[in-house]
Amino acid sequence: MMKKALSIILLLALLVVFFACSPAERTAYGFSMGSDYKVSYDFNGDLDKEIADLFASVESSYSVRVDSSVLSRLNAAKAGEMITLTTEENEVLYQAFALASATRSAFDPAILPLVKLWGFDPPYEMNGEVPPADSAILKATILSGMDQFTLYHDLSIITKRSDDAALDLGAAIKGYAVGRALDLLREKGATKGLVWLGGTVGALGDSYPIGVTAPRESNQDYAFRFTLSDGEICATSGDYERYYEYEGKRYHHILDVNTGYPASSDVISATIVAKDGLIADAFATAVVVLGVEKGVALLEEYGIKGALVTKEKKVVTVGLTVTIKDTTYEIV
Ligand code: AMP
Ligand code: MG
């Protein structure tokens, strides 16, 4: 069973879909954090409920769409109000702010004022398919960015400077959840597993081939594939998921907190592979903002693997061996 399973290829559709049969004895299916999930695992027992509970708990802690989540409470708080964090929330926010520093705010969780204004993500709404007014963008840009927050890590307390400053962990939470799911499988004694949550994938106990969707293509074909090894998590971000075109320019859901506008780099899709899911997911978003030159420098600086697809259909790799599907793409 496992031998057969190892020979499958996974394709990414909107980021990743399962292409063939399951890699392990059992498979849990469900929906969490706005995405379908599929978790296959080799275990003498049923972990489906534990997996569902884990994803539900991550969502209820960190989703801005759940009123009782720590992010919603913090976002509704007044400037200067002290919000007390659980040990886990404290660590997640600490790591998220550290990633914002590491990426020079290319990934920045304090981006919700801009996310709301641009409205690409439900429940927020777009202003038709017309960019917001410059004055509104400027106001939201001033309210965005991690400088708006102070995390007193030793005290497990966070405060903000403006009433309207707000956090959104949408760019990193799936990676975090996939990492937690791998930990769960490991702790319970599962020997092999493959966790898939809305295109973010984690591997346990074995290596699995992964295909990455050709960005901006209407077909569901893959651009390149690579092998995800035991303990690794991969996340893909791209400018082709939620976007519109206005006066010949593309506007999409990955925003640059430094400009207030959607990222306009030469990278249209970034796939990052790391042992830590929060890092993989946050870096994937950051690299789309940073572009090839700064994105490659960031990955090299932190020793993180990745493959970036450029507008010119070049695949730029950092520490990752990839196979392109055909001559549509070129590895550089
Ligand atoms: P991802 O698909 O992981 O790149 O996450 C994109 C989502 O994260 C968006 O839909 C926004 O909710 C949020 N977001 C957009 N731009 C950024 C950014 N530069 N840093 C952090 N979060 C962002
Ligand atoms: Mg991300």
Side-chain angles (χ1 to χ4, degrees), residues 11 20 49 54 59 63 65 87 117 135 152 154 156 161 169 176 194 204 207 225 234 248 264 269 290 315:
L11 282 182
K49 179 159 180 344
L54 170 68
E59 183 169 30
S63 171
R65 289 160 196 91
T87 308
L117 178 69
S135 56
Y152 299 92
D154 291 347
S156 296
R161 279 178 189 47
L169 279 175
Y176 173 68
L194 191 62
L204 175 72
S207 298
R225 57 193 163 84
C234 72
S264 61
S269 147
L290 290 172
V315 181

Side-chain angles (χ1 to χ4, degrees), residues 24-323:
E25 299 293 340
R26 290 195 62 94
T27 303
Y29 296 91
F31 186 82
S32 187
M33 291 162 260
S35 300
D36 291 321
Y37 70 77
K38 178 173 176 175
V39 180
S40 301
Y41 55 94
D42 204 15
F43 179 64
N44 190 16
D46 182 352
L47 296 173
D48 294 15
K49 179 159 180 344
E50 274 96 337
I51 292 161
D53 288 349
L54 170 68
F55 285 151
S57 106
V58 172
E59 183 169 30
S60 72
S61 292
Y62 304 108
S63 171
V64 291
R65 289 160 196 91
V66 175
D67 288 345
S68 57
S69 75
V70 64
L71 290 207
S72 296
R73 284 188 287 120
L74 182 57
N75 294 348
K78 295 280 172 215
E81 197 179 316
M82 289 188 281
I83 301 288
T84 304
L85 304 169
T86 64
T87 308
E88 187 206 304
E89 290 161 358
N90 193 25
E91 290 317 312
V92 168
L93 290 180
Y94 183 73
Q95 210 189 341
F97 284 122
L99 287 163
S101 294
T103 61
R104 286 142 205 109
S105 282
F107 160 81
D108 193 322
I111 201 166
L112 195 66
L114 280 166
V115 168
K116 274 185 185 167
L117 178 69
W118 282 92
F120 286 103
D121 301 276
Y124 314 114
E125 280 174 23
M126 286 192 296
N127 176 30
E129 296 204 339
V130 179
D134 283 350
S135 56
I137 294 172
L138 184 60
K139 193 171 164 217
T141 306
I142 291 166
L143 288 169
S144 294
M146 61 181 286
D147 294 351
Q148 286 284 350
F149 289 84
T150 305
L151 177 65
Y152 299 92
H153 190 228
D154 291 347
L155 302 173
S156 296
I157 283 173
I158 186 166
T159 61
K160 60 187 193 180
R161 279 178 189 47
S162 314
D163 292 351
D164 294 334
L167 296 177
D168 173 11
L169 279 175
I173 205 60
K174 287 194 194 117
Y176 173 68
V178 169
R180 290 280 307 274
L182 286 185
D183 292 343
L184 173 79
L185 294 179
R186 228 180 258 121
E187 279 159 22
K188 294 287 176 186
T191 49
K192 287 177 184 167
L194 191 62
V195 179
W196 185 93
L197 171 64
T200 302
V201 189
L204 175 72
D206 220 327
S207 298
Y208 301 93
I210 303 286
V212 176
T213 308
R216 295 193 184 182
E217 302 292 337
S218 51
N219 61 29
Q220 298 281 296
D221 219 347
Y222 69 92
F224 64 87
R225 57 193 163 84
F226 66 95
T227 301
L228 191 68
S229 303
D230 174 33
E232 289 182 336
I233 293 159
C234 72
T236 297
S237 268
D239 71 358
Y240 51 94
E241 275 187 87
R242 293 188 285 284
Y243 72 94
Y244 58 80
E245 281 180 17
Y246 178 75
E247 294 186 346
K249 208 169 171 272
R250 190 182 184 89
Y251 295 87
H252 59 91
H253 76 297
I254 299 179
L255 307 172
D256 185 343
V257 82
N258 294 307
T259 64
Y261 281 80
S264 61
S265 79
D266 47 357
V267 170
I268 62 173
S269 147
T271 298
I272 306 298
V273 178
K275 294 265 180 191
D276 181 299
L278 199 61
I279 293 179
D281 201 351
F283 268 42
T285 306
V287 168
V288 173
V289 174
L290 290 172
V292 172
E293 200 182 319
K294 289 184 183 160
V296 167
L298 178 77
L299 296 178
E300 285 174 344
E301 184 182 348
Y302 288 93
I304 306 272
K305 297 191 280 187
L308 328 180
V309 181
T310 71
K311 282 180 186 147
E312 293 76 31
K313 301 199 174 185
K314 295 191 189 328
V315 181
V316 181
T317 62
V318 179
L320 196 66
T321 305
V322 308
T323 308

